[in-house]
Amino acid sequence: MNGVIRWVLTKEKYTDSIVKDIVSFLNSDGGTLIVGIKDDGTVVGVDKLDETLRKISDVITTQIEPNPQDEITTEVRFDEKKALIVLNISKGGRNIYCQKKYGFSSNGCTIRIGTTCKEMTSEQIKIRYEQNFIDNEYMLKKRSSMADLSFRELKIYYAEKGYHILDDSSFEKNLNLKNQNGEYNLLGELLADRNNIPLIFVKFHGINKASISETSDFGYGCLLTSYTKIKNRLIAENICISDTTVRPRVDKYLYDIDCVNEAVLNSLVHNDWTITEPQISMFSDRIEVLSHGGLPNGMTKKQFFEGISKPRNATLMRIFLSMGLVEHTGHGIPTIVEHYGEEAFEIETNYIKCTIKFDKDVMDKLNRIIVSEINTVQNETLKPSEEKVLKAILSNPDDTALRIAEKIGLSQRTVERALTRLQQVGKIERIGNKREGRWIVIK
């Protein structure tokens, strides 16, 4: 057995303590358990063979977590014409097993040390449990779709946080960017400078998906950078209406940016990336953040709403923690619930959708401003094409001439002429450069 002693434990008869013995073997190097032999070696056999086999099967399938069926074989042998039940128990494929009755506590987690069954310490349980979760994380095992990856951006992020101990030779190993075969894994692909993974932000006209206003893809690169771009975009989209008639001035925003940010972070960290990427959609009355995979295995809705953290992608979560993007406090979901209620979440077996509704007062005031602006400019003598361009600017002042042309169905050249004239007659002005600036409508 590769230098490992395989212990044999004998029991005169079946007792409830057998579950403790099985767990101890699973948490060690395996062993053999024989029922029907006394401690002194006397063969007594098993009287109620079928009933005892059923009891042992029940122990294996229902009383141990995680299920160890693949690690245990049961057979019946005869010695001196007496039936013996032999359990051949392999070393567990998971790093830790426990009796469900006691959970992952010292009473529930036992280990074999020589001929003795011992309870594991809290520290041993903690280390094994965390390693167990990491080792079975799918992102670390699934091979990347790309063989040649680089991590210049990721290294810069870590260097800026003061993690200079991660030199080139140990960087990929310390961050688990490769699988056991030495190939880049899915986690590595997500964090690489270039990858094949999109990350879509879609704006729709109206309250449904009938008409797309704009599609932006922030993916195909390091997930930390993609997240930053999405966050900045959502900050830019968050319209503020100020009441200057009171002191101090009162600002009201279209949506709570902290809640939207938490929803996006959760979608990235908890998404099942083997299915597809999360999606952020913006409608005229709400933002929807969709992630795939449903609740992590073993998590209840009650735990979810209470903010109990059980990340599907533990290693990715730790990287976001290291960058200061998320916290261990688990306040994200409760924060969203406090502002928008539990009804903000639609939880199904294969996805979770978070809906952040826009502030009605801000929406109403914004609509009144747009109508007022349109009525004002309509009193001027403008060509139909110029009116269309002006309305487009009022709806989205960040649009370029090309984007306006695509939206209203005119040529780019016609839109550019209309923009030039609108500036000449003092209807609009340009703030910033041609690429990154925005339009301002002048009353």
Side-chain angles (χ1 to χ4, degrees):
M1 302 298 291
N2 298 322
V4 176
I5 297 175
R6 187 171 180 85
W7 296 101
V8 177
L9 174 66
T10 60
K11 298 178 75 70
E12 180 178 354
K13 60 182 179 179
Y14 170 88
T15 63
D16 291 339
S17 66
I18 196 171
V19 62
K20 182 179 180 180
D21 296 316
I22 294 174
V23 168
S24 68
F25 277 130
L26 289 166
N27 284 330
S28 308
D29 292 310
T32 300
L33 193 158
I34 304 175
V35 181
I37 300 179
K38 289 185 176 182
D39 291 341
D40 61 5
T42 303
V43 177
V44 295
V46 178
D47 290 332
K48 299 178 180 179
L49 183 60
D50 290 339
E51 179 181 336
T52 304
L53 284 169
R54 282 195 298 270
K55 288 181 178 179
I56 292 174
S57 176
D58 180 67
V59 165
I60 295 171
T61 56
T62 66
Q63 296 186 38
I64 299 174
E65 185 179 355
N67 191 313
Q69 284 179 280
D70 293 339
E71 280 78 29
I72 302 173
T73 60
T74 305
E75 60 179 307
V76 177
R77 296 180 187 172
F78 290 89
D79 190 344
E80 300 175 358
K81 297 183 179 180
K82 295 177 180 178
L84 305 176
I85 297 176
V86 181
L87 302 180
N88 293 304
I89 307 166
S90 301
K91 178 180 180 179
R94 304 289 291 272
N95 283 291
I96 190 167
Y97 292 79
C98 73
Q99 301 177 57
K100 283 187 178 180
K101 180 179 179 180
Y102 301 108
F104 290 100
S105 65
S106 293
N107 287 335
C109 301
T110 52
I111 190 170
R112 199 99 194 144
I113 301 178
T115 59
T116 308
C117 180
K118 296 280 189 180
E119 293 181 352
M120 296 172 69
T121 65
S122 298
E123 184 63 18
Q124 287 175 317
I125 294 170
K126 179 176 182 294
I127 292 172
R128 283 202 178 209
Y129 184 82
E130 290 180 350
Q131 191 62 41
N132 181 56
F133 194 74
I134 295 170
D135 285 350
N136 288 275
E137 192 176 343
Y138 73 93
M139 294 186 77
L140 307 186
K141 294 183 177 182
K142 182 175 174 60
R143 185 173 63 184
S144 166
S145 64
M146 302 173 66
D148 186 20
L149 301 177
S150 63
F151 302 95
R152 183 185 61 83
E153 289 185 29
L154 187 59
K155 290 175 182 177
I156 292 173
Y157 281 113
Y158 271 86
E160 289 177 345
K161 289 292 182 179
Y163 292 94
H164 300 294
I165 57 172
L166 294 173
D167 56 36
D168 289 343
S169 61
S170 61
F171 187 83
E172 294 176 358
K173 180 180 179 181
N174 288 338
L175 293 185
N176 296 296
L177 304 180
K178 290 186 175 181
N179 61 24
Q180 293 179 342
N181 298 323
E183 304 163 315
Y184 286 116
N185 53 28
L186 179 55
L187 177 66
E189 185 171 357
L190 274 171
L191 296 169
D193 297 325
R194 296 289 179 270
N195 57 44
N196 292 324
I197 304 172
L199 196 56
I200 308 296
F201 172 81
V202 185
K203 287 185 71 174
F204 294 94
H205 288 297
I207 61 174
N208 56 42
K209 296 184 178 182
S211 176
I212 294 177
S213 169
E214 177 188 350
T215 299
S216 300
D217 195 336
F218 297 105
Y220 301 104
C222 178
L223 186 62
L224 298 177
T225 301
S226 298
Y227 158 70
T228 302
K229 291 178 179 178
I230 288 177
K231 180 180 179 180
N232 290 339
R233 177 59 185 271
L234 291 168
I235 291 174
E237 293 283 354
N238 197 16
I239 297 169
C240 176
I241 299 296
S242 300
D243 184 353
T244 57
T245 63
V246 295
R247 292 289 183 271
R249 184 183 71 185
V250 176
D251 295 332
K252 292 193 72 174
Y253 287 88
L254 193 59
Y255 46 81
D256 188 289
I257 189 61
D258 290 334
C259 290
V260 172
N261 183 52
E262 291 293 341
V264 171
L265 281 170
N266 276 304
S267 74
L268 299 177
V269 172
H270 299 288
N271 185 65
D272 186 343
W273 291 88
T274 62
I275 300 174
T276 189
E277 71 281 352
Q279 183 171 309
I280 298 98
S281 303
M282 189 171 189
F283 300 84
S284 62
D285 63 344
R286 70 194 185 279
I287 289 176
E288 291 182 355
V289 182
L290 179 72
S291 62
H292 302 275
L295 292 175
N297 188 34
M299 173 173 275
T300 65
K301 288 185 179 181
K302 181 175 182 294
Q303 292 171 332
F304 175 82
F305 286 123
E306 288 176 350
I308 295 174
S309 180
K310 189 177 182 182
R312 173 176 281 106
N313 310 311
T315 308
L316 181 61
M317 177 71 156
R318 275 194 295 276
I319 290 173
F320 271 73
L321 280 167
S322 298
M323 296 300 99
L325 300 175
V326 295
E327 299 179 1
H328 262 312
T329 57
H331 78 286
I333 301 302
T335 297
I336 297 173
V337 171
E338 181 180 355
H339 282 78
Y340 297 97
E342 291 187 1
E343 60 270 21
F345 292 93
E346 181 182 338
I347 303 174
E348 299 295 338
T349 56
N350 59 341
Y351 72 86
I352 297 176
K353 182 168 67 178
C354 178
T355 300
I356 304 295
K357 294 183 178 180
F358 294 163
D359 185 284
K360 290 184 178 180
D361 291 339
V362 175
M363 289 176 61
D364 290 344
K365 191 166 184 179
L366 180 62
N367 289 332
R368 288 197 298 270
I369 290 174
I370 292 175
V371 170
S372 175
E373 296 287 358
I374 292 175
N375 289 336
T376 299
V377 298
Q378 281 179 342
N379 293 327
E380 305 292 338
T381 303
L382 297 176
K383 295 179 181 179
S385 60
E386 293 166 352
E387 291 182 358
K388 285 184 178 181
V389 170
L390 194 57
K391 290 178 181 179
I393 292 173
L394 287 167
S395 297
N396 196 334
D398 294 321
D399 279 350
T400 62
L402 176 59
R403 193 170 294 168
I404 293 172
E406 292 172 347
K407 286 182 178 180
I408 64 177
L410 297 176
S411 69
Q412 183 177 350
R413 180 60 184 152
T414 299
V415 170
E416 289 174 346
R417 285 199 299 267
L419 290 171
T420 299
R421 175 147 194 284
L422 288 171
Q423 291 180 83
Q424 291 173 346
V425 299
K427 298 301 180 186
I428 62 173
E429 66 178 62
R430 183 73 176 176
I431 303 297
N433 59 41
K434 185 175 181 180
R435 182 178 179 182
E436 298 179 356
R438 61 185 294 146
W439 297 103
I440 300 295
V441 177
I442 304 170
K443 292 184 178 181

